Amino acid sequence: MMRRPLAPMPKSGPRYNEFITVPKVRVIDDEGENLGVMFTQEAIEQAAEVGLDLVEVSPNADPPVCKFLDIGKYKYEAQKKANIARKTQKTQEIKEIKMRPNIDDHDYDTKMKKVHSFIEEGDKVKITLRFRGRELSHQQLGMALLQRVAENVAEIAKVEAYPRMEGRQMLMVLSPK
């Protein structure tokens, strides 16, 4: 009988066959039946008789739980699951809307439409109010504008970071409810 060449220790994924270092393991066969606790070498031999590998599925148990599996197929299916999980996850972006403290009504409405669309898509919105020149001495106008924005989006968003000054800018962050 030809032996498989000794492969390097797996860097990621479960340990299998000769890489299982504990002396005794709890064994589950390929039909899912519990064979009980046995010596690791004996379990590896039984798995080889069936034509499968002994794979450590629960290394933190006492004794570790091992199963008769095809290691290549097991790794392939785990990789497919990880790829599907990565595709379906939604990353939340931070969109930025820039305004000035003396913004006109129509410009304000246009910016608010964009804020609504960003929040409905599930993104956070950072509202930046930039002050220039003497506007800096009238910060209460900027604070009033940001309060107006917060009131307009109150039913679909909550204020995550309340208005604060950073240099010549006033910032506020909104997130979807």
Side-chain angles (χ1 to χ4, degrees):
M1 182 169 109
M2 284 272 302
R3 295 191 81 196
R4 239 189 286 183
L6 193 62
M9 179 73 174
K11 291 184 181 90
S12 64
R15 292 185 293 190
Y16 59 93
N17 293 343
E18 61 273 358
F19 302 116
I20 300 172
T21 55
V22 291
K24 288 188 175 183
V25 293
R26 181 172 307 279
V27 180
I28 298 170
D29 69 359
D30 52 327
E31 278 101 41
E33 292 181 37
N34 189 352
L35 301 179
V37 178
M38 59 176 69
F39 288 104
T40 306
Q41 198 56 43
E42 183 184 331
I44 291 171
E45 289 168 6
Q46 283 188 12
E49 286 174 17
V50 185
L52 297 170
D53 301 301
L54 185 69
V55 180
E56 197 174 44
V57 290
S58 181
N60 298 330
D62 188 36
V65 179
C66 294
K67 213 171 186 179
F68 293 171
L69 296 170
D70 180 8
I71 188 68
K73 187 177 181 182
Y74 182 77
K75 284 183 176 179
Y76 175 74
E77 288 173 356
Q79 186 180 9
K80 274 179 68 173
K81 281 183 191 173
N83 286 344
I84 290 171
R86 192 168 34 254
K87 280 182 188 174
T88 57
Q89 79 182 21
K90 170 81 171 92
T91 57
Q92 194 174 45
E93 293 181 39
I94 297 182
K95 305 286 188 170
E96 186 175 18
I97 298 287
K98 293 185 177 181
M99 294 185 190
R100 296 281 306 280
N102 56 352
I103 191 170
D104 197 42
D105 288 338
H106 182 265
D107 295 335
Y108 174 81
D109 294 338
T110 306
K111 299 276 188 185
M112 288 312 296
K113 282 181 189 173
K114 209 63 186 156
V115 168
H116 279 274
S117 70
F118 287 151
I119 290 174
E120 286 165 5
E121 288 172 13
D123 295 325
K124 291 183 181 182
V125 179
K126 176 176 158 186
I127 297 177
T128 305
L129 212 58
R130 178 166 278 146
F131 293 94
R132 287 170 137 186
R134 285 203 178 159
E135 291 174 350
L136 205 52
S137 60
H138 298 287
Q139 291 180 12
Q140 72 278 5
L141 295 176
M143 191 60 84
L145 180 65
L146 290 179
Q147 292 299 328
R148 183 175 159 201
V149 169
E151 289 168 11
N152 285 358
V153 295
E155 52 290 335
I156 61 167
K158 62 179 183 279
V159 178
E160 189 172 284
Y162 287 94
R164 68 181 189 283
M165 284 298 291
E166 276 187 15
R168 292 186 158 271
Q169 299 182 65
M170 190 176 282
L171 305 173
M172 179 172 76
V173 179
L174 303 169
S175 64
K177 278 191 176 176

